[in-house]
Amino acid sequence: MKNISVIGSGTMGNGIAHLFAQQGFSVALVDLSLDQLNKGMETISKNIDRQIAKGTHTEVEKAAFLQRIVPFTTLSEGVELADLVVEAATEKLEIKLKLFQELDRLAPSSAILASNTSSISITQIAAVTKRPTQVIGMHFMNPVPVMKLVEVIRGYATSEETIRRIMDLSLQLEKVPVEVRDYPGFVANRILMPMINEAIYTLFEGVAGVSEIDTVIKLGMAHPMGPLQLADFIGLDVCLSILRVLHEGFGNPKYAPCPLLVTMVAEGFKGMKSGEGFYCYPAGIKENPVSPRFLS
Ligand code: NAD
């Protein structure tokens, strides 16, 4: 594989483009607007600067990485050379289904179509294409250049050949791939999201404040980040979408999203990417905890 098309340049898409470019692949980065693409490219540039400050990369390498990423606002141009498409667009079923129909029509017939979805069924996504054997879940973790895991999701029709190629590619990217079956939330979010939801309920019910909840989990369970900060980092809208998939997929009320999360997302508080969630992020950096205004 040489040419990778990444669809979506948000939190995950820019990280995935960064990773592939850093490992020598040619990347076409596709989003709906130039504005969104510019934001994605800026984030990649800042993140490489951080790697330079740590001594992992040099200015010369930075120029080479950035040169390997070409932005596109037109899907047909962005995927015409793809050996692999990694879709990292908004976590909404209707968006993914429409995109995969288009990707199937526009990408070379030999290309593998992978989704970075956190929870949506790979089997359902594959079913709208004419190449379900070449559709797979390739679930990177945030921040992509740093986190080692790739959850590889086998849809009902995914072929052995597709699984093998994505497992091999993940190793080539210096990641650790873990193969799982297609089930709501797969493994990572089936376990993580109920914890985050429970932390939000704990706040909602007035048991403790934002920093108290995060401190208990950080210091008590040795997690590097508390669950409320992690929710901000993932994106509160993304957390809500995943919980809705779990709730609908299992039909079990234990996955019902906390009303506080629903209200915060409806009001536009999406966490780090919108500048405010359970904490505020005036310069993209975490500052004081915010006691969500809907609680008083
Ligand atoms: P995001 O909201 O930060 O970015 C989504 C991007 O997709 C936006 O830039 C949007 O403009 C773009 N987009 C929407 N429709 C599009 C289309 N038709 N064509 C091209 N671009 C389009 O979301 P995100 O957090 O990067 O999540 C992307 C995917 O990755 C989701 O499926 C999510 O579940 C998954 N994911 C997220 C995380 C996380 O921590 N945020 C972790 C793992 C997986």
Side-chain angles (χ1 to χ4, degrees):
M1 290 190 190
K2 266 174 38 198
N3 297 314
I4 314 296
S5 297
V6 179
I7 315 302
S9 62
T11 311
M12 293 304 286
N14 72 61
I16 296 168
H18 175 167
L19 172 72
F20 276 105
Q22 177 181 302
Q23 297 289 341
F25 293 86
S26 299
V27 180
L29 182 58
V30 184
D31 208 308
L32 298 172
S33 70
L34 216 49
D35 190 40
Q36 200 59 46
L37 283 165
N38 287 339
K39 273 192 210 149
M41 293 301 289
E42 259 171 51
T43 306
I44 296 172
S45 173
K46 276 192 206 145
N47 288 340
I48 304 176
D49 285 341
R50 247 184 243 148
Q51 293 175 316
I52 293 173
K54 280 191 199 152
T56 355
H57 291 296
T58 63
E59 288 288 350
V60 176
E61 284 174 320
K62 175 178 176 178
F65 298 166
L66 291 177
Q67 218 169 26
R68 287 190 201 120
I69 307 175
V70 183
F72 291 93
T73 49
T74 322
L75 196 61
S76 56
E77 286 179 276
V79 301
E80 68 182 352
L81 298 175
D83 299 312
L84 166 71
V85 178
V86 183
E87 171 276 319
T90 312
E91 183 79 345
K92 289 252 160 51
L93 180 66
E94 59 281 12
I95 292 180
K96 307 265 187 215
L97 296 185
K98 189 157 179 280
L99 254 174
F100 272 77
Q101 272 173 339
E102 291 283 284
L103 291 173
D104 189 35
R105 193 168 62 77
L106 298 168
S109 60
S110 57
I112 291 180
L113 307 181
S115 176
N116 183 56
T117 178
S118 305
S119 59
I120 294 172
S121 163
I122 298 301
T123 305
Q124 196 175 355
I125 291 174
V128 301
T129 74
K130 295 191 177 71
R131 59 177 105 180
T133 56
Q134 289 159 243
V135 176
I136 190 164
M138 192 177 192
H139 185 206
F140 291 92
M141 304 290 134
N142 183 17
V144 181
V146 177
M147 299 293 278
K148 280 286 174 202
L149 178 71
V150 181
E151 199 176 23
V152 176
I153 299 111
R154 175 194 286 268
Y156 180 75
T158 311
S159 70
E160 289 303 326
E161 163 77 3
T162 302
I163 295 273
R164 187 190 55 75
R165 291 184 69 197
I166 295 301
M167 297 290 280
D168 287 352
L169 176 68
S170 304
L171 292 172
Q172 194 186 336
L173 293 168
E174 297 174 37
K175 299 291 182 195
V176 178
V178 174
E179 188 193 324
V180 307
R181 282 179 48 206
D182 188 16
Y183 223 61
F186 318 127
V187 172
N189 282 302
R190 180 175 181 166
I191 296 171
L192 175 65
M193 281 305 146
M195 184 189 72
I196 286 180
N197 200 33
E198 205 56 38
I200 302 173
Y201 265 114
T202 308
L203 177 70
F204 185 55
E205 290 168 10
V207 181
V210 173
S211 60
E212 288 76 10
I213 293 169
D214 275 356
T215 304
V216 167
I217 300 300
K218 258 172 32 187
L219 302 188
M221 282 80 194
H223 288 203
M225 227 185 239
L228 298 173
Q229 187 189 348
L230 181 57
D232 275 358
F233 189 60
I234 293 170
L236 300 188
D237 54 332
V238 177
C239 294
L240 179 60
S241 297
I242 299 170
L243 279 161
R244 285 189 165 140
V245 169
L246 290 171
H247 192 203
E248 199 184 305
F250 291 112
N252 187 332
K254 79 174 177 182
Y255 298 109
C258 176
L260 176 60
L261 176 65
V262 176
T263 312
M264 288 177 76
V265 173
E267 292 287 341
F269 298 101
K270 295 182 181 172
M272 198 165 168
K273 67 182 162 191
S274 73
E276 189 174 326
F278 295 106
Y279 295 83
C280 46
Y281 304 85
I285 306 205
K286 182 184 127 207
E287 281 197 5
N288 303 327
V290 179
S291 184
R293 48 205 92 198
F294 322 105
L295 283 180
S296 51

